Amino acid sequence: GDSVTQMEGPVTLSEEAFLTINCTYTATGYPSLFWYVQYPGEGLQLLLKATKADDKGSNKGFEATYRKETTSFHLEKGSVQVSDSAVYFCALTRNTGGFKTIFGAGTRLFVKA
Amino acid sequence: GAGVSQSPSNKVTEKGKDVELRCDPISGHTALYWYRQSLGQGLEFLIYFQGNSAPDKSGLPSDRFSAERTGGSVSTLTIQRTQQEDSAVYLCASSPPPGALEQYFGPGTRLTVT
C-alpha cells in the first residue's frame, strides 16, 4: 500500500542554519505531495504542495521538489528562524480512485536563538 | 470565513462509555476526513467522505468506531465502549470540491479515556 517515510526527529538547529527534512514515498500512480506544519498549540496547516513530477512547491521560504525518479519530496529552507520551530508532516494524496491521504510520522524541529 | 470547527475541544470519559465527536467543515467543502493523532505519533487516517459517495472506512480500527455525515455537511464520529488506547487527539479536515486536494484542519478534540 501507499506509505510516506520521514526522517526521525527531533531536529535541532541554530537560527539561520540550513534545513533539510527528508521525505520519501511509495505509491501507485501519480499522487500529489504535501508538507503540513503544526506549530505549538495550533492545528495542522498546509505549508506547500506539488501535484506532478518536477513541480516545486514553495511558501514562507520553504521549498520542496517532487522527484519521481527518487520518489522523494524533501523539505528545505535556507535560513531557519526560531518561529519555524514546529512539527512538519509530509503527506501524499492520490489524484484518482478516491482521495485518501497518507501522512508521515512527523518531524519535530527546534530552532535555537 | 469560518474554518473547520470541532466540538468538544476536550473530552474525558470513563472506559466503556460511548462518545460522540462533532465536526463542522468549511461551507462548500465536499470532502471530509477524520484522523487520529496519538501522543508523539503521526496522523492515522480513519474515514473519508466525498459528496454523496459511499465513505472510505478503511482506516477505522475496529467496529466500535463509526462515523456519519448528515446532509453532506456536519459529521459525527462515534466511539462505542471506549478503551484507554482510544485516548488521542481526533482531527477533522475538509477539502473543496475535487481537484483541490489540500485539506483544512480543525483544532481537534482531545479524548482521554480513564
Side-chain angles (χ1 to χ4, degrees):
Chain A
D2 297 348
S3 67
V4 174
T5 302
Q6 293 181 234
M7 63 187 290
E8 288 190 22
V11 173
T12 302
L13 296 173
S14 297
E15 215 167 16
E16 299 184 3
F18 184 85
L19 168 70
T20 300
I21 300 178
N22 290 337
C23 171
T24 57
Y25 68 91
T26 302
T28 54
Y30 301 91
S32 292
L33 303 174
F34 303 83
W35 278 99
Y36 286 84
V37 58
Q38 188 172 31
Y39 296 104
E42 298 184 17
L44 270 84
Q45 55 188 274
L46 178 68
L47 179 61
L48 54 84
K49 68 176 181 180
T51 58
K52 60 182 187 297
D54 300 325
D55 269 3
K56 178 186 284 188
S58 62
N59 186 24
K60 299 181 180 181
F62 291 88
E63 293 183 340
T65 300
Y66 190 141
R67 301 285 188 200
K68 185 161 176 59
E69 64 275 15
T70 54
T71 62
S72 65
F73 193 55
H74 304 322
L75 182 68
E76 297 181 336
K77 186 174 185 181
S79 177
V80 293
Q81 305 300 312
V82 172
S83 57
D84 294 326
S85 298
V87 182
Y88 293 82
F89 293 91
C90 185
L92 71 81
T93 300
R94 289 189 191 171
N95 297 318
T96 58
F99 296 90
K100 179 177 175 178
T101 299
I102 305 298
F103 282 81
T107 302
R108 184 175 295 276
L109 171 66
F110 292 105
V111 180
K112 303 180 297 184
Chain B
V4 177
S5 62
Q6 293 186 244
S7 60
S9 55
N10 280 286
K11 176 72 176 178
V12 180
T13 190
E14 293 180 352
K15 177 181 173 181
K17 301 283 190 183
D18 298 351
V19 295
E20 287 189 349
L21 313 179
R22 177 187 169 104
C23 172
D24 282 273
I26 293 172
S27 177
H29 281 197
T30 55
L32 187 147
Y33 302 77
W34 281 100
Y35 298 91
R36 178 167 69 176
Q37 185 176 26
S38 301
L39 186 62
Q41 303 296 311
L43 276 71
E44 175 187 5
F45 168 80
L46 297 178
I47 189 168
Y48 159 70
F49 296 90
Q50 174 60 268
N52 295 320
S53 302
D56 178 349
K57 304 179 181 180
S58 61
L60 295 178
S62 76
D63 59 7
R64 295 187 296 105
F65 288 73
S66 63
E68 63 178 20
R69 188 179 184 191
T70 53
S73 181
V74 172
S75 177
T76 302
L77 176 69
T78 300
I79 309 173
Q80 296 178 308
R81 306 181 302 281
T82 52
Q83 304 295 312
Q84 288 187 330
E85 60 262 29
D86 298 335
S87 296
V89 176
Y90 289 81
L91 294 170
C92 175
S94 68
S95 286
L101 299 180
E102 60 262 37
Q103 297 173 39
Y104 297 80
F105 283 82
T109 293
R110 182 176 297 279
L111 174 66
T112 303
V113 182
T114 61

